[in-house]
Amino acid sequence: MNASQLGQKGEAVAAKYYLDRNARLLAHGYRTRQGELDLVLLEGETVVIAEVKTRTASKRMTPAEAVGPAKQKRLILAAQLFLQQHRLADHPVRFDVVEVMPAKSGWQVHCIKNAFEA
């Protein structure tokens, strides 16, 4: 599995994680000039922007550590555009980082809710 396929698989696993918890998927791979939003979901009235980080083995940096200040800024700008275009600007927004890693029996998902704020 190459890096692109791994990323796509991780995003699918993360989407299922949220859907199993009654979230509604609004967008997957939403692209803007500012960047890409991996998953945009609705949990109740809250719009959840989920940045998915998939890794095959432990590296020096955890998946969540890969979402530094510059990446956060790009995600926030892309989220603002999405919210405006989809008339969701009045909804509360939460930014999650979802770590997806292979495990012996499938995939391990670790969701860091409110990983950062706009």
Side-chain angles (χ1 to χ4, degrees):
M1 188 178 305
N2 66 32
S4 176
Q5 292 169 324
L6 180 66
Q8 290 174 355
K9 179 63 177 173
E11 289 175 11
V13 169
K16 183 177 181 336
Y17 169 87
Y18 282 102
L19 295 173
D20 287 348
R21 286 156 182 77
N22 298 318
R24 188 169 59 128
L25 184 64
L26 300 178
H28 175 242
Y30 175 80
R31 295 180 189 273
T32 72
R33 276 196 265 169
Q34 289 77 21
E36 179 183 354
L37 301 178
D38 292 336
L39 300 173
V40 181
L41 306 113
L42 195 61
E43 281 187 352
E45 291 296 313
T46 301
V47 176
V48 178
I49 309 297
E51 176 66 11
V52 181
K53 293 296 178 187
T54 309
R55 300 287 190 266
T56 55
S58 61
K59 305 219 179 196
R60 288 186 168 177
M61 184 183 308
T62 67
E65 290 172 334
V67 185
K71 177 70 172 180
Q72 291 176 18
K73 183 177 181 181
R74 288 192 305 275
L75 291 170
I76 291 166
L77 291 171
Q80 289 171 338
L81 184 59
F82 180 90
L83 295 170
Q84 290 170 354
Q85 288 180 343
H86 293 86
R87 296 189 174 122
L88 296 167
D90 59 336
H91 288 256
V93 178
R94 186 179 83 221
F95 291 90
D96 293 355
V97 174
V98 183
E99 301 173 331
V100 179
M101 292 171 271
K104 288 182 181 178
S105 61
W107 294 87
Q108 177 183 359
V109 177
H110 178 230
C111 180
I112 304 166
K113 293 184 177 187
N114 290 311
F116 61 91
E117 294 185 16

